[in-house]
């Protein structure tokens, strides 16, 4: 109100002094006043902007400081947790050992080293200088069915026998005069199937028929138990070893075992008191003879 009153007073004074130019002077004065006011407003706005910029910078700095403090607290908390875990692990008792203690093998004697090692190919060869196993389990005994029989030279006979293989085996035998060849086809017999093949009077024999008898003139073919089939194995309860693939002549295995093969007083075929057995079917027997040798 004071400023407005002063402006009106100044305008009246100018109009009195110079009626013609008073109005122009007043317009100039009003324009200057408006420009001055706008300038003041603009300066005030700039100051406000500067003030806001300063406040924003301060707020940004405060935010960065708070973020740094938060990160420091997180790092300290993680370090305390790791130290606590390490302390617990350090104080915990060690786990029990589960591995087996190492056992040192005794050093072989001079005699054992001289004997050598078993063959790496078969894994069953005896040590050099050691006595190989010698019992009836080395014989490959099987049940067979005679398909045909015919006489041969020098009181020999030839049989074709089914032993459960794709083709029958040819067997050359010396059975004796009391065995009727025409009655052999269809008969069940016991054979040694791992004897070495040999030619007898022009015919290659690939197995051996087991007979029993008290003399050369009184011979019977050993018979498997009823229900046996061609190819059934004859085994021994007390001698569970594996049979040789082929009996070697130089070892004379069969010749050394034959004295212990016999028929007991009940007609049962046995080796050192252990019966010839077809598992699940029974024992091998002599048809009529007792207490005699097997050959």
């Amino acid at each position: 109100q004071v400023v407005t009153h002063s402006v009106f007073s100044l305008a009246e004074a100018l109009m009195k002094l110079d009626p013609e130019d008073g109005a122009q002077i007043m317009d100039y004065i009003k324009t200057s006043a408006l420009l001055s006011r706008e300038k003041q407003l603009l300066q005030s706005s700039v100051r406000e902007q500067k003030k806001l910029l300063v406040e924003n910078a301060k707020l940004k700095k405060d935010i960065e400081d708070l973020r740094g403090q938060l990160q420091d607290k997180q790092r300290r908390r993680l370090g305390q947790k790791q130290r606590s875990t390490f302390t617990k692990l350090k104080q915990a008792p060690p786990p029990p050992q589960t591995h087996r203690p190492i056992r040192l093998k005794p050093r072989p004697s001079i005699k054992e080293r001289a004997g050598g090692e078993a063959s790496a190919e078969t894994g069953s060869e005896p040590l050099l200088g050691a006595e190989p196993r010698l019992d009836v389990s080395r014989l490959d005994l099987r049940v067979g069915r005679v398909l045909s029989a015919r006489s041969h030279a020098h009181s020999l006979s030839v049989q074709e026998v089914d032993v459960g293989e794709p083709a029958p085996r040819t067997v050359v035998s010396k059975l004796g005069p009391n065995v009727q060849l025409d009655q052999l086809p269809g008969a069940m017999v016991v054979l040694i199937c791992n004897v070495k093949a040999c030619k007898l009077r022009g015919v290659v024999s690939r197995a051996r028929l087991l007979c029993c008898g008290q003399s050369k003139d009184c011979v019977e073919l050993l018979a498997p138990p009823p229900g046996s089939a061609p190819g059934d194995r004859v085994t021994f309860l007390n001698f569970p070893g594996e049979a040789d693939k082929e009996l070697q002549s130089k070892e004379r295995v069969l010749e050394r075992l034959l004295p212990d093969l016999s028929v007991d007083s009940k007609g049962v075929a046995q080796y050192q008191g252990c019966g010839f057995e077809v598992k699940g079917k029974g024992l091998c027997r002599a048809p009529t003879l007792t207490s005699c040798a097997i050959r």
Side-chain angles (χ1 to χ4, degrees), residues 128-194:
L128 294 177
E131 182 69 19
R133 171 177 56 91
L134 181 64
D135 60 54
V136 74
S137 65
R138 295 183 64 177
L139 303 181
D140 182 7
L141 297 174
R142 301 188 214 173
V143 174
R145 176 185 286 112
V146 178
L147 301 178
S148 64
R150 59 182 175 86
S151 61
H152 192 46
H154 293 81
S155 67
L156 297 176
S157 61
V158 178
Q159 296 83 36
E160 298 293 330
V161 185
D162 176 15
V163 291
E165 296 174 337
R169 292 205 183 198
T170 301
V171 182
V172 180
S173 309
K174 189 173 183 179
L175 301 179
N178 65 320
V179 177
Q180 302 298 320
L181 296 182
D182 58 348
Q183 296 179 1
L184 285 183
M188 302 298 291
V189 293
V190 179
L191 303 95
I192 304 175
C193 292
N194 59 343

Side-chain angles (χ1 to χ4, degrees), residues 279-294:
K279 287 187 177 179
K281 298 178 181 179
L283 299 173
C284 300
R285 297 174 176 271
T288 61
L289 299 176
T290 58
S291 304
C292 57
I294 294 176

